[in-house]
Amino acid sequence: MIHTGRHFLQIPGPTNVPDRVLRAMDRPVIDHRGPEFAVLSLEVLTGMQTIFQTKSPVIIFPSSGTGGCEAALVNTLSPGDPVLIFETGAFSQVWKRIAEALGLRVEYVPGNWRRGARPADLESRLAADSSHAFKAVVVVHNETSTGAVSRIAELRRTMNRLRHPALLIVDAISSLGAMEYRHDEWEVDVTVCGSQKGLMVPPGLSFNAISEKALAANKKASLRRAYWDWEPMLNNNREGLFPYTPATNLLFALREALHMLEEEGLPNVFRRHRRHGEATRAAARAWNLEIVCEDPEEYSSAMTAVFTPEGHNADALRKVILEHFDMSLGAGLGKFAGKVFRIGHLGSFNDLMLAGTLSGVEMGLRLAGVPHDDGGVMAALDILAPPGSNALSPSIVSP
Ligand SMILES: Cc1ncc(COP(=O)(O)O)c(C=O)c1O
């Protein structure tokens, strides 16, 4: 089938890269040991501190997000250290796999893949750990396979109340730049991120935001590391350099994306994502399809995962939508394969893109013969432009 117009990339990352960002990286590579590069890298390292809401150092690796996860563990822990990982979905499984491969002792706190990490589960595990055996608690902030968010501030309060010294390691790969995230205020020790989601940059960069406590743990941590070692990174970064060849043009892209986020203002960025999440869920409810996240307090603003009705394969629906409307939706992952489709509404995105996305889903539901009610798109439009609202009314136009 020949497609005209542009492809709709509505997976929950990689996300659409704005033209401004593409143009910023479309330039000759520069000497990564020269003065121009140092200016670039110091600017993006500082810019990322603003996005993480931290005054502590941020490290940028040339890698996908998974590399950032491995870096967080090898830099803070030692062989055989017990770690608590919360089962929230497919990406918590990634953490479990990495931690076990590194020789850490994982206690995997079971979850039903429809909720974030429960503070009560953390409380019971840590309260029973009077010898402070657990060295780290690992939580995925926005579980990209389910659209359920873990409440990091509450989890940290639980750790503090119990005076448990474990490090708090958070995967914010699909939330940073899309949802409220406060590395310092929430006392997170290592936050991991990737470039390809809320940050609107192509895949290929990962990030570690680090606390003082994590830096102290780094001095004692004896897991083997070379490429991922923070120490040479931090030493080189002070001068705007890297210990090996950085992904220069992705850093040009990141600089432009950071400018865009700054121009919009982070509170507006988060508000935009919340609104689009709300409109998407309104559509799903009107279609009479079940949203995977079952706790309204934990809904993701970055993406929405939706079950197809029993007996209707979500991948068949995605295939129809791709073929007919040239739109990519996220597949169900792990135990949700074939049962769930995921709508990404994060990154470089606006109301009309969302209306187009939801229209593609609604038409796809019809063409694929998936039982549903009509009216999802209208329900979403009612959130985006509520009936009776009037943009020309003086109260809205005047400041
Ligand atoms: C929450 C989360 N963690 C980890 C990863 C793995 O990141 P990457 O695929 O960039 O290695 C992803 C990727 O989608 C993710 O969404």
Side-chain angles (χ1 to χ4, degrees):
M1 196 180 276
I2 304 263
H3 293 297
T4 54
R6 75 160 180 82
H7 177 70
F8 266 62
L9 180 68
Q10 295 315 139
I11 58 176
T15 60
N16 296 290
V17 178
D19 289 349
R20 261 177 76 175
V21 173
L22 289 173
R23 280 197 295 272
M25 61 189 286
D26 179 13
R27 48 173 294 168
V29 181
I30 59 170
D31 172 11
H32 61 285
R33 302 197 197 283
E36 190 186 350
F37 180 80
V39 172
L40 167 68
S41 73
L42 290 172
E43 186 177 343
V44 293
L45 287 166
T46 312
M48 284 308 299
Q49 287 178 306
T50 307
I51 302 293
F52 278 108
Q53 304 202 35
T54 184
K55 294 194 166 43
S56 295
V58 173
I59 282 177
I60 306 179
F61 291 109
S63 83
S64 87
T66 306
C69 304
E70 179 162 342
L73 299 175
V74 294
N75 277 287
T76 54
L77 298 166
S78 300
D81 275 352
V83 295
L84 204 53
I85 300 181
F86 281 84
E87 180 183 17
T88 47
F91 291 104
S92 68
Q93 284 181 331
V94 169
W95 278 94
K96 178 173 182 283
R97 190 169 43 77
I98 301 171
E100 285 174 348
L102 294 172
L104 297 167
R105 290 218 318 271
V106 175
E107 178 161 342
Y108 198 43
V109 184
N112 69 354
W113 288 41
R114 300 193 63 177
R115 294 174 151 217
R118 309 266 91 189
D121 288 345
L122 179 63
E123 177 138 17
S124 61
R125 296 306 190 287
L126 294 189
D129 180 32
S130 51
S131 64
H132 295 168
F134 288 119
K135 299 297 175 235
V137 173
V138 178
V139 183
V140 178
H141 182 216
N142 181 68
E143 176 51 80
T144 325
S145 63
T146 69
V149 175
S150 291
R151 284 165 278 164
I152 304 301
E154 219 174 299
L155 294 167
R156 165 47 82 188
R157 278 198 294 275
T158 303
M159 294 175 76
N160 287 352
R161 201 169 48 246
L162 296 170
R163 297 184 197 284
H164 198 290
L167 297 169
L168 177 58
I169 299 179
V170 177
D171 174 342
I173 289 178
S174 60
S175 54
L176 199 81
M179 292 158 56
E180 187 73 63
Y181 192 85
R182 298 168 182 266
H183 177 86
D184 283 1
E185 190 182 312
W186 297 348
E187 297 172 58
V188 180
D189 293 298
V190 190
T191 304
V192 181
C193 189
S195 52
Q196 74 272 26
K197 300 190 190 251
L199 297 179
M200 308 181 290
V201 169
L205 298 176
S206 72
F207 306 88
N208 280 181
I210 300 167
S211 72
E212 286 292 327
K213 191 168 146 191
L215 273 178
N218 178 245
K219 304 278 180 271
K220 295 192 198 131
S222 64
L223 275 175
R224 284 173 181 244
R225 52 188 181 266
Y227 184 82
W228 304 115
D229 199 349
W230 286 346
E231 203 177 316
M233 266 291 192
L234 291 169
N235 290 339
N236 278 265
N237 282 177
R238 273 191 268 281
E239 312 293 325
L241 298 175
F242 277 64
Y244 39 67
T245 312
T248 317
N249 287 48
L250 289 179
L251 297 179
F252 283 125
L254 179 62
R255 176 162 69 182
E256 191 64 22
L258 291 172
H259 289 167
M260 290 178 71
L261 290 170
E262 192 188 340
E263 285 162 24
E264 187 177 354
L266 280 185
N268 297 326
V269 171
F270 302 147
R271 200 172 305 124
R272 165 165 63 82
H273 282 83
R274 277 200 301 274
R275 206 166 142 264
H276 288 161
E278 200 188 326
T280 305
R281 292 189 298 274
R285 286 191 201 101
W287 291 322
N288 203 14
L289 297 180
E290 195 177 349
I291 295 166
V292 172
C293 177
E294 61 184 13
D295 183 344
E297 272 195 74
E298 297 179 343
Y299 283 144
S300 168
S301 310
M303 40 103 20
T304 302
V306 181
F307 286 111
T308 44
E310 198 68 36
H312 293 269
N313 191 301
D315 291 337
L317 169 68
R318 290 190 317 109
K319 187 162 180 279
V320 165
I321 291 172
L322 179 63
E323 284 174 2
H324 286 262
F325 307 115
D326 197 21
M327 176 163 74
S328 299
L329 296 175
L333 300 177
K335 71 178 186 185
F336 285 162
K339 297 181 184 346
V340 159
F341 64 95
R342 295 174 300 143
I343 304 171
H345 35 78
L346 76 163
S348 174
F349 202 54
N350 64 31
D351 287 7
L352 284 188
M353 291 164 85
L354 180 63
T357 300
L358 297 174
S359 300
V361 176
E362 189 154 334
M363 291 189 286
L365 290 167
R366 282 187 188 172
L367 294 185
V370 176
H372 70 286
D373 293 341
D374 288 335
V377 173
M378 274 317 299
L381 299 188
D382 282 349
I383 301 283
L384 299 178
S389 55
N390 180 354
L392 299 180
S393 89
S395 66
I396 291 180
V397 172
S398 55

